[in-house]
């Protein structure tokens, strides 16, 4: 979605658009797919700054942390982003009056999806073939009692 900064001199100017992130490569352990996204952008241009008020709705396919199955998740957010030609803290620097807004919207969607999502009714596996699940305390106790087999033969030597 291209934004023309000069159009926001009109206070009533609003852009509404459906976004397509189907060609974006995402982390498959966090978000597998962005199914749909809709954005509404309003704002104002004030001297050196462009302030955009963003209302974003998205449906994403995330991953259940326990079962690794697909899990639908809805994102709804309202935020403001500040843009300027100058490099400043908490302000996004742009090169010209026309710029691409999609990378910033994608960042907003990704940041709104929690890293750990659990499907309703999902439980952690207790054990399976070639693995077992231990608590941290159980693991520490097991490590304390573990004998290093490389040194076990030395225990048989009578000095």
């Amino acid at each position: 979605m291209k934004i023309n900064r000069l159009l926001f001199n009109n206070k009533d100017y609003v852009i509404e658009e459906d976004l397509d992130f189907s060609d974006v490569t995402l982390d498959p352990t966090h978000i597998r797919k962005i199914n749909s996204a809709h954005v509404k952008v309003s704002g104002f241009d004030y001297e050196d700054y462009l302030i955009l008020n963003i209302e974003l709705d998205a449906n994403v396919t995330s991953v259940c942390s326990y079962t690794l199955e697909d899990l639908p998740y809805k994102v709804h957010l309202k935020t403001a982003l500040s843009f300027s030609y100058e490099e400043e803290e908490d302000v996004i620097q742009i090169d010209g009056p026309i710029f691409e807004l999609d990378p910033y919207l994608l960042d907003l969607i990704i940041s709104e999806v929690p890293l750990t999502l659990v499907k309703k009714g999902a439980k952690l596996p207790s054990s399976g073939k070639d693995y077992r699940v231990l608590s941290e305390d159980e693991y520490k106790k097991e490590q304390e009692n573990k004998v290093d087999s490389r040194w076990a033969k030395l225990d048989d030597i009578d000095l």
Side-chain angles (χ1 to χ4, degrees):
M1 155 184 251
K2 289 217 184 262
I3 296 292
N4 186 343
R5 177 181 180 158
L6 303 175
L7 295 175
F8 287 96
N9 287 331
N10 177 359
K11 293 180 184 179
D12 298 326
Y13 184 70
V14 176
I15 301 172
E16 277 196 70
E17 190 173 309
D18 289 323
L19 304 171
D20 180 24
F21 292 113
S22 60
D23 60 337
V24 176
T25 303
L26 299 164
D27 178 8
T29 61
H30 181 218
I31 299 174
R32 292 194 174 149
K33 183 178 178 184
I34 299 175
N35 302 318
S36 65
H38 182 79
V39 67
K40 181 178 178 181
V41 180
S42 62
F44 57 94
D45 193 4
Y46 180 74
E47 293 180 8
D48 293 340
Y49 300 99
L50 171 64
I51 313 295
L52 295 181
N53 298 311
I54 296 172
E55 188 172 337
L56 182 69
D57 291 302
N59 292 313
V60 302
T61 301
S62 188
V63 180
C64 175
S65 297
Y66 289 178
T67 63
L68 301 180
E69 296 174 350
D70 287 353
L71 182 64
Y73 188 79
K74 292 185 181 205
V75 174
H76 176 76
L77 65 96
K78 291 181 181 181
T79 189
L81 295 177
S82 302
F83 298 88
S84 177
Y85 296 126
E86 304 297 323
E87 186 175 339
E88 294 183 37
E89 190 174 323
D90 297 331
V91 177
I92 301 167
Q93 184 178 2
I94 55 175
D95 295 329
I98 298 174
F99 62 95
E100 191 68 38
L101 190 61
D102 284 352
Y104 307 108
L105 298 175
L106 180 61
D107 287 345
L108 288 172
I109 292 171
I110 291 171
S111 67
E112 283 294 310
V113 178
L115 292 175
T116 304
L117 286 173
V118 179
K119 196 175 200 176
K120 189 174 183 177
K123 295 180 182 172
L124 278 173
S126 57
S127 63
K129 183 180 179 193
D130 298 329
Y131 75 92
R132 54 195 177 114
V133 178
L134 302 173
S135 70
E136 190 172 344
D137 293 332
E138 291 171 331
Y139 176 75
K140 286 181 181 177
K141 188 175 181 180
E142 190 176 282
Q143 291 302 314
E144 289 173 2
N145 298 332
K146 190 174 182 180
V147 176
D148 189 350
S149 63
R150 296 174 295 178
W151 303 104
K153 291 289 183 187
L154 295 176
D155 291 339
D156 295 339
I157 297 176
D158 192 24
L159 297 176

